[in-house]
Amino acid sequence: MMFIMSIVTRLLGSDDLDEAVSILHKGGLVVFPTETVYGLGANAFDEAAVRRIFVAKDRPADNPLIVHLASFSLLERTVRELPDMAWKLMEAFWPGPLTLVLPASDRVAPSVKAGLNTVGVRWPAEELALRLLERCPFPLAAPSANRSGRPSPTSFESAWEEMNGRVEAILHGPSCSVGLESTVVGFEGGKPLIFRPGGVSREWIEDVLGVRVGEASESRASPGTRHPHYRPSCSVRAWSGIPAFAASPGDWVLTLQRGLELPEVRVLTFDTVEEYARELYRTFFQAEREGVGTLWCELPPETGVGQALRDRILRAVTVL
Ligand code: TXA
Ligand code: MG
C-alpha cells in the first residue's frame, strides 16, 4: 500500500497526557511506551481510528490487534467471557507482558479482531502507559509501533524513527524493560495454548495453571505470525555452540558467552538472557544505522524468556 507522509507528528511528554487523550478521543493515533515494546494506539471502540493504524503501519488487514486497558470496567466492556484459567493468569501476570485471547464483545471495532470473534487483551505495567490508560474512557488497540515486518521499537528514538509523519503524536517514555513483545495465550476447547512466546515464559504459565500448555499451530491461531516479522535491513544469521562461522570484517556478533573474542568483528556480550532480550531490537536498529552487514545472533537456551528470544531471532533470520 502506498503511504503519503502528510501528518505532522507532535512529541508529547509525561505532562501532556491530557493532550494525548484528546487526540485519541478525536480518532487520532498516539504512540506510547509499554514495558515490552512501544505501541501504536487508537481508541479500540472506534472503527475509523483503528483502520488508520493499519495504514500507518502498512499492516495486512488479516492481522488482529491487541487491546490495552487498565481497569476491570473496561475489561468487562471488551470481552464477553472470562474463563477461570484467564482469571488465574490475570492475577498472576497483570499488569505485565501477557495477552489473553478471549471472546470479544460487540463494542470492539471489527478491524481489531480482523475477522475473528476473539480479542487479545493486555493490562500493561509501564508507568506512563498506565497513566495514559487510566485517563482514557476507552481501551487502546495497539500493535507494536513499527512499520509492518520491521523490528519493534523499544526506545523513544526508534519509535520516532518508525512513526514520525504517520501518527498525530509520540509519547516520550523510557526504554522498554522487557524489550520483546508479550506472550499471547488463547484457549481452545478449554485448553490453554501459547500463540506467541513472549515476556512471560511457558514454565511460569504452567506453574500457575497446573497443566501443560500447548503451542498453537501458529498460522491458524495467531494470524500475525504468518507474516514476515522483526527484520532489520541488515542480514541476520543465527548460531549456537562454538562460533565457527565465516563472519566478514565489520559484522557484529551477539553472544551470551563471556570473554568471546573474534578477529575483525564487534562482539556484543550479554550477561543474562533477560539483558539479551531487552537489547535485541535496539541492537537491530543501531546496526541498521551503522550500516552493519551481518548480525550473528547466538541462540539462547530454550528456557524462560529464551523461548521468545529464540523465536524473534529465528524470524529475523534472512538466510538460513
Ligand atoms: O507486547 C505486545 O504485545 C505489544 C505491545 C504494544 O503491547 N504489541 C504487539 O502487537 O506486539 P502486535 O500487533 O505487533 O502483535 C499482536 C500479536 C499478533 O501475532 C496477532 O496475530 C496476535 O497478537 N493476536 C492479536 N489478537 C489476536 C486474536 N484475537 N487471536 C489470535 N491472535 C491474536
Ligand atoms: Mg508487531
Side-chain angles (χ1 to χ4, degrees):
M1 179 189 317
M2 206 174 74
F3 188 83
I4 303 157
M5 299 253 285
S6 58
I7 301 176
V8 177
T9 301
R10 295 183 53 194
L11 195 171
L12 298 181
S14 54
D15 293 336
D16 305 319
L17 292 175
D18 291 339
E19 184 56 33
V21 176
S22 143
I23 292 169
L24 291 161
H25 240 302
K26 288 184 246 164
L29 304 178
V30 175
V31 169
F32 63 96
T34 83
E35 73 279 25
T36 58
V37 301
Y38 272 68
L40 163 52
N43 177 353
F45 294 159
D46 178 344
E47 173 65 11
V50 171
R51 284 193 184 190
R52 293 191 53 225
I53 291 180
F54 289 83
V55 176
K57 275 187 68 102
D58 292 331
R59 183 177 176 105
D62 66 351
N63 191 357
L65 305 179
I66 293 173
V67 169
H68 299 67
L69 39 75
S71 77
F72 286 102
S73 63
L74 280 181
L75 180 63
E76 274 172 16
R77 290 163 64 196
T78 304
V79 305
R80 262 190 299 111
E81 271 168 51
L82 274 168
D84 277 354
M85 284 195 194
W87 271 112
K88 282 190 186 152
L89 294 176
M90 279 161 46
E91 268 168 18
F93 302 115
W94 278 7
L98 176 76
T99 295
L100 295 169
V101 174
L102 297 167
S105 82
D106 294 340
R107 296 295 304 273
V108 178
S111 292
V112 169
K113 298 175 278 184
L116 304 170
N117 54 15
T118 52
V119 62
V121 283
R122 179 162 106 81
W123 188 319
E126 204 282 326
E127 196 196 316
L128 201 53
L130 289 174
R131 287 176 54 205
L132 175 67
L133 289 168
E134 278 158 9
R135 282 172 168 75
C136 287
F138 40 76
L140 295 182
S144 47
N146 50 285
R147 285 170 272 146
S148 216
R150 306 239 327 122
S152 306
T154 55
S155 67
F156 164 75
E157 288 75 17
S158 42
W160 184 267
E161 221 171 278
E162 287 291 298
M163 285 296 147
N164 181 20
R166 292 170 178 247
V167 298
E168 276 72 24
I170 301 181
L171 256 182
H172 194 316
S175 291
C176 305
S177 58
V178 177
L180 297 179
E181 297 84 348
S182 61
T183 306
V184 180
V185 174
F187 304 91
E188 279 181 10
K191 294 213 172 85
L193 286 175
I194 293 184
F195 291 171
R196 176 181 72 182
V200 173
S201 75
R202 166 200 301 280
E203 297 91 309
W204 298 348
I205 294 172
E206 289 181 341
D207 276 354
V208 167
L209 296 180
V211 295
R212 290 292 299 271
V213 178
E215 216 153 293
S217 104
E218 285 188 350
S219 51
R220 190 175 48 88
S222 198
T225 54
R226 267 202 307 265
H227 302 287
H229 265 79
Y230 317 117
R231 293 202 175 143
S233 59
C234 48
S235 103
V236 176
R237 307 278 292 264
W239 62 279
S240 57
I242 300 163
F245 45 77
S248 303
D251 286 355
W252 289 5
V253 174
L254 280 59
T255 184
L256 286 158
Q257 300 179 29
R258 235 165 269 181
L260 187 67
E261 278 181 42
L262 296 166
E264 298 190 281
V265 301
R266 178 157 162 198
V267 178
L268 285 85
T269 311
F270 304 105
D271 289 334
T272 60
V273 176
E274 287 73 19
E275 184 194 353
Y276 190 178
R278 189 162 55 240
E279 296 293 323
L280 182 76
Y281 292 148
R282 197 190 58 76
T283 306
F284 282 1
F285 279 103
Q286 193 190 344
E288 272 188 348
R289 271 197 304 275
E290 299 192 20
V292 174
T294 301
L295 282 175
W296 298 89
C297 300
E298 183 180 11
L299 290 172
E302 239 165 315
T303 51
V305 79
Q307 288 153 12
L309 184 54
R310 284 176 76 98
D311 172 76
R312 303 309 190 273
I313 292 170
L314 289 171
R315 282 173 200 283
V317 166
T318 30
V319 197
L320 275 172

